Amino acid sequence: MKRRDAASDWVVEALALRLNTHEAATLVRKLYGSLKEWIQHGELTAGDALPSSRHLARALGVSRNTVLAAMDRLLAEGLLISRQGAGLYVADLPTLLTKTELPPHSPVRYSTRGNKLLALSGTLSQGHRAFAPGVPALDLFPREQWQRLLRRHYYHAQTAWMDYQTNGGLPELKTALCDYLRLSRAVRCQPEQIVITQGAQQAFELITQLLTDHGDSVWMEEPGYGGAQACFLASGLTVTPIPVDREGLNPSLAPANATAPRLIYVTPSHQYPSGVTMPVPRRLALLEHASRTGSWIIEDDYDSEFRYDTPPTPSLQGLAEQTSVIYVGTFSKVLYPGLRLGYLVLPITLAEDFRHAHARLHREGNYPVQSALAEFIANGHFTRHITRMRTAYRQRQACLRTALAPAVAKGLELSDGHAGMHLLARLNTRAQEDQLVERAGKVGITLSPLSRYYLSGNKHSGLVLGYAGSTEYELMEAGRWLSDAYLAIRDDS
C-alpha cells in the first residue's frame, strides 16, 4: 500500500496555486475540478493516497466542510474510493478516462447524406456583417413596442397555454394572419387551413415527413435556396435541379429521363437567389404540370412584401380554386429571425392531418409570443413596419448601387433589384468569385458565392449581396471596398 503522504506535498502546493487564481468559481468547484482533472489526465494514478481532509483544510486555509464537499463529489463519481481507517485513494479507472491513453484522433466519418449536407449552398449569416443575405433591418425594428406587447401577453398568459397544444397555433394568430394573407397576397384560405410552425425550415420538414417517402423525387430550383436543399437531402429525397431562366423554374428544362416529382419547390414571387419573378403564364403552366403529374407545389413566399416599383405579386396559391399548392411563409425576414415563427397554408384536405402531425412531432407552443404577434398584426403594427422596411430597403439598395457604380461601369452585372433584400452580382469566372470571397473574409465582409447555390455541375459565378441588414453607411463603406476589389482582380486577370 502506498504511504499516506505519497501525493500530499505536490497536491497541497498545486491546490494552493489553483485557489489563488481569479477564476469565477467557488472553492468547492476549484478543489473538485482540479483533483478531477489530475485524475483523468493521469497525474494522480490508481492507488495514490490523498491528504486527509483536516490536513488539506489546514494547509489551504479553508473550512473542512469545503474539502469534504469536494471529496464527496469525487467519491460519488467513482474517481476516489474510501478505505476503512486509511483515508481516500484514487480509484482504479478504465484507461479511456485518461487522456494519456486515448488513441490519436481519427477523421470523423459522416454519412453520405451528411457529406452532401455539409457541402451545400450559402454562407451562414454573420449577423450585421455587410452583405449577409437574409438579415432584416434589426436596427429599425420597433423593439420597445414589441417588448411591451410581450410583457403584457406573458403576464396575462392563460394557464392552458402551459399545457401541450394541438391547435396548430394560437387561433387568434391564425385569424389575424389569414386576414393579412387574403388582403396582401391574394391567398385563398381560412384560419383552419393554417398551421403555425417554428420557422419555414420546420414547415419544409413537416411537408417531407407527411407527403414523401425515401427516394421520392423533388424538383428544386437551380440555383436555389440552401435551407430547402438541406431539408430535402436530409429527408432522403432524390433532388432533381431544374434550371431557372428569366421567368423562374422552367419545367420544360427538366431532364428527359426525370422522374415525375412528388414535390416541386419554387420561390415564384422573388426567386432565390436570382431575383426573377415568375409571370402568370409560367405559373399556370406549373399548376397544370403539377395537376398532371400528381405533384405538390411548395410555394416559399419568403420576402414578397418587399417590392419597390410595383405592388406585391399575388401568390401562386391564389390562382386556382382546387390547388395542389402548399404555401409557406415566415416572419424571419419581415420581423426578425430569432422570433422563430413561420406558417403553412394547406389545402383543406391536408390541414387536419398536418395539425395532428405537427403536435405529435414538434410539440407546438410559445402561445404568449403568438398572442403578442396576433395583436401586432391585428392592430396594424405589422403592416406599418413592412411599409417602413420597404422604404428603408429601397434606400439601402440605392446606396449599394451607388457604391458599386465604378465596378458596374467596368462590367460588373447586377440584378434588377425590383424586389427583395439582396442583389445578385454576376461574375465572369469562378476564379474571380473565389478571390473576392477570400479577400472579403479577411476584412470582415460576408460574401456568399453564387456557385454554392447550385446542386449540379453547371454552376455560374457571382455574389449574393444582402443589403437589408446593414446601415447606409456600412453599405457605402463595404460597397466601395467591393468595387475596388473587383476592379483590382479584373485588371489582374
Side-chain angles (χ1 to χ4, degrees), residues 27-28 31-32 35 65-75:
L27 292 174
V28 172
L31 287 171
Y32 158 79
L35 290 170
N65 286 338
T66 296
V67 177
L68 289 173
M71 298 300 184
D72 285 345
R73 288 189 64 178
L74 295 167
L75 283 165

Side-chain angles (χ1 to χ4, degrees), residues 208-395:
T208 60
Q209 287 162 343
L210 267 69
L211 295 180
T212 68
D213 289 313
H214 191 279
D216 279 352
S217 174
V218 53
W219 283 10
M220 178 80 201
E221 296 171 324
E222 176 85 334
Y225 172 51
Q229 294 171 348
C231 174
F232 301 146
L233 287 172
S235 298
L237 301 184
T238 301
V239 180
T240 303
I242 308 297
V244 168
D245 60 21
R246 293 184 178 276
E247 296 185 345
L249 180 142
N250 189 344
S252 68
L253 297 179
N257 61 346
T259 305
R262 181 64 174 160
L263 302 176
I264 302 174
Y265 172 89
V266 287
T267 52
S269 294
H270 185 231
Q271 201 278 328
Y272 191 84
S274 73
V276 302
T277 298
M278 184 180 289
V280 170
R282 175 67 61 82
R283 294 178 185 226
L284 293 174
L286 187 61
L287 287 169
E288 190 277 330
H289 181 90
S291 176
R292 180 162 37 85
T293 58
S295 308
W296 293 101
I297 297 174
I298 302 174
E299 179 180 9
D300 183 1
D301 205 22
Y302 66 100
D303 72 352
S304 61
E305 289 85 356
F306 304 122
R307 294 197 71 86
Y308 308 120
D309 52 7
T310 60
T313 307
S315 67
L316 173 65
Q317 188 266 6
L319 285 178
E321 283 275 357
Q322 301 298 323
T323 181
S324 56
V325 179
I326 300 173
Y327 182 93
V328 178
T330 177
F331 293 100
S332 295
K333 306 297 187 295
V334 290
L335 294 179
Y336 60 95
L339 185 59
R340 301 300 304 129
L341 283 178
Y343 52 90
L344 286 159
V345 180
L346 297 150
I348 195 65
T349 53
L350 298 180
E352 185 71 7
D353 290 334
F354 266 69
R355 181 175 65 83
H356 279 293
H358 180 245
R360 170 57 59 194
L361 292 171
H362 302 298
R363 298 300 189 188
E364 62 171 284
N366 217 355
Y367 272 27
V369 175
Q370 293 190 31
S371 181
L373 181 55
E375 182 177 338
F376 192 77
I377 295 172
N379 288 352
H381 303 313
F382 185 65
T383 301
R384 285 191 290 273
H385 178 63
I386 289 173
T387 301
R388 185 186 183 198
M389 294 302 97
R390 192 180 294 128
T391 300
Y393 294 169
R394 183 188 293 113
Q395 294 169 347

